[in-house]
Amino acid sequence: MVARREKVILVAGGAGFVGSHLCKKFLGQGHKVTCVDNFLTGDISNVRALLDDPNFQLLRHDICDPHKWPGPIDEIYNMACAASPSRYQSDPIHTAKTCFQGTLNLLDLAEEKNARILQSSTSEVYGDPEVSLQSEDYLGNVNICGPRACYDEGKRISETLMWEYGTHRGVETRIARIFNTYGPYMHPEDGRVVSNFVVQALQGDDITIYGTGQQTRSFCFISDLVEGLTRLMASGEKMPVNLGNPVEFTMLELAEQVIAKTGSRGSKLAYQPLPQDDPQQRRPDITRAKMILDWAPRVSLSDGLDMTVSWYRDRLIADRDAAAIAGQ
Ligand code: NAD
Ligand code: UDP
């Protein structure tokens, strides 16, 4: 029997920011891709260019709902879940359900099809960490009954489900703990900090700093994350692996860089209240990713912002032109 070389890959959340990059990468490698998305935060423009590709299939579907999937599936990337705090908090029950019921449905599918499955978990499983450099064995500091809990606790139970199916049902599970990732194809109105700052600066609007702006994040460029995710899927590692860029910035430092990169003249800093439970620091320890996947991020924040600003500049012009035509 001749082994199949091209794979059938299901990308849940494939019309979102990270998922759409995965769909494009896999199609470019000659694989067949089924993109499943309920379009909660996904954008058809992220995958429109793929619709004519005979290897691409788009299915509007909520992973919380049951579905019969015909044919073989080799790999499942579960990227389905709103990731922006404002978006996942707008329907917290659905967010929690997506993480639990949605992941459970995809795990059952992986078991049925004998497929590998990778879950997009998050640095949010560490909550508001009490330690700098969060390694995978840090158990976290999560508020169970707060506005972020639907996502943080949702992702924690999704990891537990993955681990149980991996341990007791023999499913080939992979868990990526993704730290803040940015880049082209994140929706301009997503609400996360990089897209907010870049869009505000390009439009000459004030830059919204929540709290003092001294809280930190570590920003990973999308191409680095995609490389890490695919390496993790190809590995034999069932325990969680941090994927992120360990270089840490305050939000004020990020704002300065964005203003400089966009050449924004009109934008000033506008301080707004810090949202409840907003983590004060976040920085991945990527020792395991280096060791197991031979992976480390390559793109600096400066280079990543150049590519990101350029994409948003074009996107805002395209959106403005489309609005002008629609208004005619
Ligand atoms: P995104 O909001 O751009 O993409 C999420 C996609 O999932 C969207 O297309 C949305 O419509 C879809 N979706 C949401 N709920 C669904 C459901 N129930 N059924 C089907 N589709 C659904 O976010 P993203 O940044 O691309 O994040 C992708 C995944 O990575 C998420 O699971 C997120 O938790 C995780 N993650 C991302 C980051 C990051 O910085 N980008 C960090 C940590 C974790
Ligand atoms: N933030 C900000 N201004 C914004 C959006 C976010 O200062 O317009 C801050 C937010 O309070 C947090 C950090 O930027 O401290 C990262 O927020 P984001 O929503 O991108 O992701 P999080 O890491 O909090 O999930």
Side-chain angles (χ1 to χ4, degrees), residues 57-328:
Q57 198 193 359
L58 175 63
L59 181 69
R60 187 179 194 121
H61 172 71
D62 191 306
I63 59 165
C64 302
D65 298 331
H67 187 73
K68 275 270 158 227
W69 303 87
I73 298 174
D74 299 299
E75 293 178 354
I76 300 170
Y77 284 80
N78 183 15
M79 314 310 294
C81 188
S84 164
S86 60
R87 305 304 299 271
Y88 70 64
Q89 288 171 27
S90 69
D91 189 350
I93 309 285
H94 183 261
T95 300
K97 194 173 172 190
T98 294
C99 293
F100 179 74
Q101 189 62 54
T103 305
L104 193 63
N105 287 342
L106 293 181
L107 275 162
D108 285 336
L109 180 65
E111 186 175 29
E112 178 197 329
K113 302 285 183 183
N114 200 19
R116 284 186 179 201
I117 178 167
L118 182 147
Q119 170 66 5
S120 59
S121 185
T122 169
S123 52
E124 291 283 315
V125 298
Y126 303 125
D128 189 1
E130 298 129 314
V131 294
S132 177
L133 265 189
Q134 294 86 48
S135 62
E136 290 85 348
D137 56 8
Y138 176 55
L139 297 183
N141 177 36
V142 176
N143 180 2
I144 303 165
C145 297
R148 297 175 85 100
C150 58
Y151 184 78
D152 299 10
E153 293 293 350
K155 291 290 185 176
R156 287 169 70 101
I157 188 66
S158 78
E159 284 199 15
T160 307
L161 288 171
M162 294 289 286
W163 184 72
E164 292 290 2
Y165 271 66
T167 306
H168 296 116
R169 306 273 278 262
V171 176
E172 283 296 331
T173 51
R174 309 285 181 264
I175 302 169
R177 287 189 182 154
I178 303 171
F179 285 64
N180 297 66
T181 300
Y182 69 100
Y185 296 95
M186 184 183 282
H187 196 282
E189 290 169 12
D190 177 273
R192 277 175 277 180
V193 69
V194 175
S195 51
N196 269 10
F197 284 6
V198 172
V199 169
Q200 288 162 347
L202 286 173
Q203 294 180 329
D205 295 337
D206 287 348
I207 309 279
T208 50
I209 305 282
Y210 301 163
T212 61
Q214 294 296 343
Q215 70 271 33
T216 65
R217 295 292 186 273
S218 309
F219 297 104
C220 185
F221 190 64
I222 182 66
S223 57
D224 282 331
L225 175 69
V226 165
E227 182 64 29
L229 291 172
T230 51
R231 284 185 189 217
L232 177 58
M233 181 66 107
S235 78
E237 184 58 42
K238 286 190 172 183
M239 293 305 283
V241 178
N242 285 342
L243 293 177
N245 191 322
V247 186
E248 197 176 16
F249 294 89
T250 67
M251 295 313 100
L252 285 176
E253 288 166 340
L254 175 69
E256 262 172 38
Q257 285 215 34
V258 168
I259 289 172
K261 297 277 180 198
T262 52
S264 179
R265 298 227 175 89
S267 301
K268 299 189 186 54
L269 302 186
Y271 287 86
Q272 296 189 1
L274 187 71
Q276 188 192 330
D277 294 339
D278 197 287
Q280 283 306 293
Q281 56 176 339
R282 194 180 284 150
R283 184 176 170 217
D285 180 339
I286 57 165
T287 309
R288 294 194 73 223
K290 279 184 177 159
M291 214 169 59
I292 296 167
L293 311 177
D294 190 23
W295 175 88
R298 293 167 178 271
V299 182
S300 67
L301 181 62
S302 175
D303 289 348
L305 280 180
D306 284 338
M307 291 183 264
T308 305
V309 166
S310 161
W311 182 82
Y312 278 106
R313 217 186 277 281
D314 292 348
R315 168 76 193 242
L316 292 179
I317 291 169
D319 286 354
R320 194 194 55 204
D321 290 352
I325 291 165
Q328 275 170 5

